[in-house]
Amino acid sequence: MNKTLLLASLPLLAALPVAAQTNPDVALYGRVDLGVARTIGSEVVQVRQGSGSRVGLRGSEDLGGGLKAIFNIEHRFTADNGQAGSLFWGGRSVVGLQGGFGTLVLGRDYTPARNVANKVDPWGGDTVAGHEGNLLGGFAPTRKANSFTYSSPSVGGFSAQAQFELDEVEGNGNEATYGLAVNYKSGPLALGYGYDKAQDELDDAEWHIASARYAFGVAELSAAVGFGEDFAGESHRSYFVGVAAGVGSGEIRAGYSQLENRDTGSDLSSRTSVGYHHKLSKRTTLYTDFAHEGEPNGNAAIDDNPWAVDFGIKHNF
């Protein structure tokens, strides 16, 4: 990260607690997550985070008539070495309006397709065991900058989200990429569909994901299927099944995902994960996870080291 930017941002970070204390409609929040882990494709044991350590501010202002102004800025960092993320407010940086019509924000935000994938993965994409990459085809983005994101209120169990991103590149005619999601929730059943169209310097890519979750007792079963074309125009397809079950103060998690290239007929990934996350309190969790990659896909490092394991602690504030 640019040192000048970091130094210039230090007074702002120091002022965050003061801003939260002096304005009751502003909340300071964050997370510090660290553990000991070995990742797939590496034989090195590291002190690393299982989920993104972060600090942020979110708040609102009542404008009257049921309308609110809202904002959220979130900084990400790696707690093992104190290094800031490549984008200072890379977690989220949005401002907008909220009312009976729903919520409309501008800025850097999560994509609708990612939000569908995140809910169906028992790990929410975190730790060495997360499946979010396969659920998004290995290429669909999790966030988009320069975007407009609309989230509807829930009506009869249905809700929707739409997002448009401007590329802001001279000569491209202000072409926009976009995404959408439709969700349904009724009792123990939750269904979701997400779509994303992304763009790089050369071509477009698109991804569809459909998900289902069903809760019974202390357990929830989840499943998803995804398909689309990557930036090279090759067709990908993914499958996922998972379960999360409460046991006392903890939760046992298990999942399996497969990602394949339909054009070449080859498997790109075949991942199995299990884990146990134990709550010491509402804000502090101990966790351990294991993951195995059954498809090296020509990667010698993964072929030599196809498994991962972690033991960590996560504290939210």
Side-chain angles (χ1 to χ4, degrees):
M1 179 182 174
N2 186 289
K3 291 184 179 179
T4 301
L5 175 60
L6 178 58
L7 290 173
S9 302
L10 289 178
L12 178 59
L13 284 177
L16 292 184
V18 177
Q21 291 176 3
T22 57
N23 189 336
D25 295 322
V26 175
L28 173 70
Y29 70 94
R31 173 185 297 173
V32 181
D33 183 332
L34 279 179
V36 178
R38 171 176 160 163
T39 60
I40 290 173
S42 173
E43 60 183 14
V44 178
V45 176
Q46 303 171 303
V47 175
R48 70 189 303 272
Q49 59 188 15
S51 61
S53 294
R54 66 201 68 178
V55 61
L57 284 173
R58 55 182 167 229
S60 64
E61 180 188 13
D62 190 344
L63 302 176
L67 187 65
K68 290 183 178 181
I70 61 172
F71 81 95
N72 182 198
I73 51 175
E74 184 177 287
H75 170 65
R76 294 295 182 96
F77 63 97
T78 50
D80 59 312
N81 57 16
Q83 184 173 343
S86 58
L87 295 175
F88 195 80
W89 299 113
R92 197 167 183 246
S93 54
V94 298
V95 64
L97 296 173
Q98 184 178 71
F101 63 90
T103 303
L104 176 65
V105 295
L106 288 75
R108 175 177 169 83
D109 206 354
Y110 292 105
T111 67
R114 173 267 176 195
N115 291 337
V116 172
N118 184 263
K119 291 178 181 178
V120 79
D121 181 0
W123 288 270
D126 292 336
T127 82
V128 299
H131 292 264
E132 193 171 276
N134 283 354
L135 284 165
L136 292 175
F139 61 85
T142 58
R143 298 176 180 86
K144 287 186 177 180
N146 310 314
S147 67
F148 304 80
T149 306
Y150 168 74
S151 301
S152 78
S154 179
V155 179
F158 286 93
S159 61
Q161 190 174 53
Q163 183 179 74
F164 294 87
E165 176 200 34
L166 300 179
D167 67 3
E168 299 186 353
V169 176
E170 290 287 346
N172 282 5
N174 277 332
E175 292 183 6
T177 64
Y178 55 90
L180 60 88
V182 178
N183 297 283
Y184 175 74
K185 182 76 168 66
S186 177
L189 177 66
L191 304 175
Y193 166 77
Y195 171 79
D196 186 79
K197 180 180 179 182
Q199 188 178 55
D200 67 3
E201 295 81 0
L202 301 176
D203 213 334
D204 295 341
E206 63 176 11
W207 187 251
H208 304 259
I209 179 173
S211 69
R213 295 177 287 132
Y214 191 87
F216 55 97
V218 297
E220 181 179 83
L221 296 176
S222 56
V225 60
F227 63 93
E229 290 189 353
D230 65 12
F231 294 106
E234 295 186 339
S235 178
H236 289 199
R237 182 167 57 190
S238 70
Y239 307 93
F240 171 78
V241 291
V243 62
V247 179
S249 297
E251 184 179 71
I252 296 174
R253 304 173 180 181
Y256 172 78
S257 64
Q258 181 174 328
L259 177 63
E260 61 186 27
N261 186 318
R262 299 179 65 188
D263 290 341
T264 62
S266 61
D267 289 337
L268 303 177
S269 175
S270 178
R271 179 165 296 194
T272 304
S273 303
V274 294
Y276 175 69
H277 291 222
H278 184 83
K279 287 189 175 183
L280 297 177
S281 70
K282 290 184 178 180
R283 297 187 290 126
T284 303
T285 301
L286 296 177
Y287 61 86
T288 181
D289 303 287
F290 175 85
H292 179 267
E293 178 56 67
E295 181 49 66
N297 193 32
N299 188 315
I302 295 179
D303 193 32
D304 292 338
N305 301 281
W307 58 272
V309 64
D310 62 21
F311 304 89
I313 180 170
K314 176 178 68 176
H315 177 73
N316 295 321
F317 62 88

